[in-house]
Amino acid sequence: MNDSRRAELAARVARVTSRIASAAETVGRNPTDIALVVVTKTWPVSDILLLHELGIRDFAENKHQEAESKVAEVIGLDLRWHFVGQIQSNKATRIARYADMVHSVDSVRVTERLNLGAHRHERSIDCLVQVSLDDETARPRRGGTNWTELEDVAGAIDGAERLRLAGIMGVSPTGGDASGAYHRLLEASRMVTAVTASATVVSAGMSADFEDAVRAGATHVRVGSAILGQRSALR
Ligand SMILES: *Cc1c(COP(=O)(O)O)cnc(C)c1O
């Protein structure tokens, strides 16, 4: 069972990696400039261990409770945890205990709580501002700041002692035009690099559209089902 799962994951990792490389090459980018973050939500820790053996080092979760329990089970393994889900501010201090990069910072309040948690646990955390790519009428909304909030949140992260403003993140609108959305995201990236020149991370692209995201300039793609398979529950 473990052997067949290992073979399945190995084949899918190889396939996704080569698709990232081809998409990068079509626009003259270096494939090594793009980080593959594997989203393991709903999948067991045994899959994380297999993926780690296959060389994956960046893992993402979108719910605090699930993340916290998985993190506890793989302590000591050299890997980076990314938090990509919506953050309730009462959970932010606890997320600060394990997250190396938080992709989904979308308010000043969450920024303050993450900074407090980072202080408490004597850590520093890379933060991305999640920018909304929904048009005004979109339902369901995928979260993120609007254009006016973007600078406030970027400024708050930049001014927080234990947080580093690393860039921006976007979730493409359901059923929408991904390349138009990614064009807006790159505009947001320019606003944020004007605050901090080193904040060059652009987290964009999921299983359905990571090649579009790479061609548009993503530095981090967040891939779940194309590697792990379809999740049983809709999440
Ligand atoms: C689940 C999730 C992903 C990965 O989605 P797939 O379609 O399974 O690749 C990426 N980003 C966020 C924010 C997610 O919640």
Side-chain angles (χ1 to χ4, degrees):
M1 183 61 212
N2 222 30
D3 278 353
S4 63
R5 182 60 167 160
R6 181 197 308 269
E8 179 177 60
L9 292 177
R12 294 213 192 106
V13 166
R15 177 92 189 103
V16 167
T17 304
S18 86
R19 285 171 60 192
I20 291 170
S22 318
E25 278 153 13
T26 60
V27 292
R29 299 186 62 201
N30 188 341
T32 59
D33 292 341
I34 296 141
L36 169 60
V37 179
V38 179
V39 186
T40 47
K41 64 190 182 197
T42 77
W43 297 99
V45 167
S46 57
D47 283 343
I48 295 175
L49 298 177
L50 289 173
L51 287 165
H52 187 268
E53 284 175 22
L54 294 167
I56 300 293
R57 292 294 178 270
D58 291 280
F59 293 88
E61 290 288 332
N62 73 333
K63 290 202 160 60
H64 165 65
Q65 270 184 340
E66 183 176 352
E68 187 179 49
S69 77
K70 286 179 177 170
V71 168
E73 285 187 65
V74 298
I75 277 197
L77 220 54
D78 63 320
L79 48 77
R80 284 178 293 276
W81 282 108
H82 298 253
F83 194 86
V84 300
Q86 256 175 25
I87 302 175
Q88 296 160 273
S89 54
N90 64 342
K91 301 260 172 70
T93 51
R94 287 188 276 159
I95 291 169
R97 184 168 167 185
Y98 55 82
D100 299 297
M101 181 179 277
V102 178
H103 293 226
S104 42
V105 182
D106 65 357
S107 73
V108 172
R109 172 111 187 109
V110 164
T111 305
E112 289 166 354
R113 306 295 295 173
L114 282 171
N115 190 45
L116 181 70
H119 261 292
R120 208 170 270 170
H121 302 295
E122 299 185 349
R123 307 184 67 240
S124 61
I125 302 170
D126 287 346
C127 291
L128 309 182
V129 184
Q130 184 178 348
V131 180
S132 174
L133 299 176
D134 294 319
D135 65 48
E136 297 300 315
T137 57
R139 294 289 180 278
R141 304 191 64 84
R142 314 295 300 265
T145 64
N146 61 32
W147 289 95
T148 39
E149 294 161 339
L150 168 59
E151 279 193 301
D152 288 349
V153 178
I157 296 169
D158 195 46
E161 199 183 340
R162 292 275 177 164
L163 307 182
R164 189 177 82 83
L165 178 62
I168 49 140
M169 179 270 223
V171 178
S172 59
T174 26
D177 155 31
S179 61
Y182 291 145
H183 182 77
R184 290 200 294 285
L185 194 62
L186 268 288
E187 272 175 51
S189 174
R190 284 188 284 273
M191 279 175 72
V192 169
T193 51
V195 176
T196 301
S198 61
T200 54
V201 171
V202 177
S203 165
M206 318 202 301
S207 292
D209 63 5
F210 64 84
E211 287 148 312
D212 287 330
V214 166
R215 284 189 292 263
T219 63
H220 288 59
V221 294
R222 309 178 307 269
V223 179
S225 50
I227 288 174
L228 289 142
Q230 286 306 320
R231 289 178 292 276
S232 45
L234 189 66
R235 285 179 60 178

